[in-house]
Amino acid sequence: HTYAYTLPVDATQFPELSWDMADAWQTVRMDTTLLTGHQLTRRITVTAESGRTAVYTVAYERMLSDADTLQMILLDDKPLEGFRADSTFYLVTLPEEAERLPAVTYIEGDADQTIAIRDEAVAYSTDSVAQITVRAANGNTRTYTVRFTWALSNETHLQMIYIDGTPLANFDEEKYTYRIPLPVEITV
């Protein structure tokens, strides 16, 4: 005789098992086998006075969590702006003066999750991506992708123009045309 008993995801222990004997001449022995962290089998062997035996099996299984979402993604230990657990793609624009990519970490959504970060982000690359794959205890997976780009500079000014190594007199970064008289003997 086998009985299956399913426990909720948040169960922290397996229930105790007890029984009523049919007569005073029976002997009853219970063996417990822990199959995994979420499965347990208890076998109750009943031996009659005549030596005949019967085995009752109660199989407990705790439901596995299907939580495959993160609580938060962090960039340099600060929450990713606009993060939502059900949203899996994020485009992060770094300021043009950023000298490195931020460190990508996370806050797990469930203690039974397995989480892996694949960080192929390369500073100043056009394809800097970090991926966080979350595997729920029941096998469900979700992958978060964070793609980094840099703000493009709009700077079109020069700091100085040099002629034969000498700074151009009266240089102004807002002035774009200069007339420089050349000696007669110079040819272009």
Side-chain angles (χ1 to χ4, degrees):
H1 310 297
T2 301
Y3 302 93
Y5 189 74
T6 303
L7 301 170
V9 171
D10 59 352
T12 57
Q13 59 186 14
F14 293 101
E16 288 300 314
L17 199 56
S18 61
W19 53 85
D20 291 328
M21 296 187 338
D23 67 42
W25 295 276
Q26 295 174 324
T27 59
V28 179
R29 188 183 85 236
M30 182 174 71
D31 297 311
T32 301
T33 304
L34 183 62
L35 302 173
T36 65
H38 68 280
Q39 294 176 321
L40 177 102
T41 300
R42 290 192 168 134
R43 287 186 175 76
I44 303 168
T45 304
V46 180
T47 305
E49 184 179 25
S50 67
R52 184 175 175 196
T53 63
V55 177
Y56 295 87
T57 302
V58 179
Y60 294 102
E61 183 166 6
R62 181 173 56 90
M63 293 176 62
L64 297 176
S65 171
D66 63 355
D68 62 359
T69 58
L70 293 175
Q71 186 177 343
M72 179 57 68
I73 294 176
L74 305 168
L75 302 180
D76 283 342
D77 297 323
K78 295 181 183 124
L80 173 62
E81 189 175 324
F83 176 80
R84 288 190 359 243
D86 61 342
S87 216
T88 59
F89 181 81
Y90 297 92
L91 181 61
V92 176
T93 302
L94 301 171
E96 63 182 273
E97 67 274 4
E99 295 182 8
R100 66 173 183 79
L101 294 169
V104 179
T105 55
Y106 57 84
I107 299 173
E108 66 186 13
D110 184 270
D112 292 329
Q113 294 173 332
T114 302
I115 302 172
I117 294 182
R118 191 177 94 218
D119 190 356
E120 295 180 0
V122 178
Y124 303 109
S125 167
T126 57
D127 194 27
S128 295
V129 174
Q131 289 187 316
I132 305 169
T133 301
V134 182
R135 181 177 303 279
N138 73 352
N140 290 356
T141 61
R142 181 181 307 255
T143 300
Y144 294 91
T145 300
V146 181
R147 182 174 300 277
F148 296 100
T149 62
W150 276 261
L152 301 177
S153 171
N154 289 320
E155 182 61 61
T156 60
H157 297 105
L158 295 175
Q159 290 182 339
M160 177 55 69
I161 295 176
Y162 299 89
I163 298 176
D164 286 337
T166 303
L168 180 63
N170 300 319
F171 174 78
D172 180 352
E173 66 180 29
E174 295 291 331
K175 184 177 176 186
Y176 298 103
T177 305
Y178 294 89
R179 293 198 177 272
I180 311 289
L182 295 174
V184 175
E185 63 272 2
I186 294 187
T187 59
V188 180

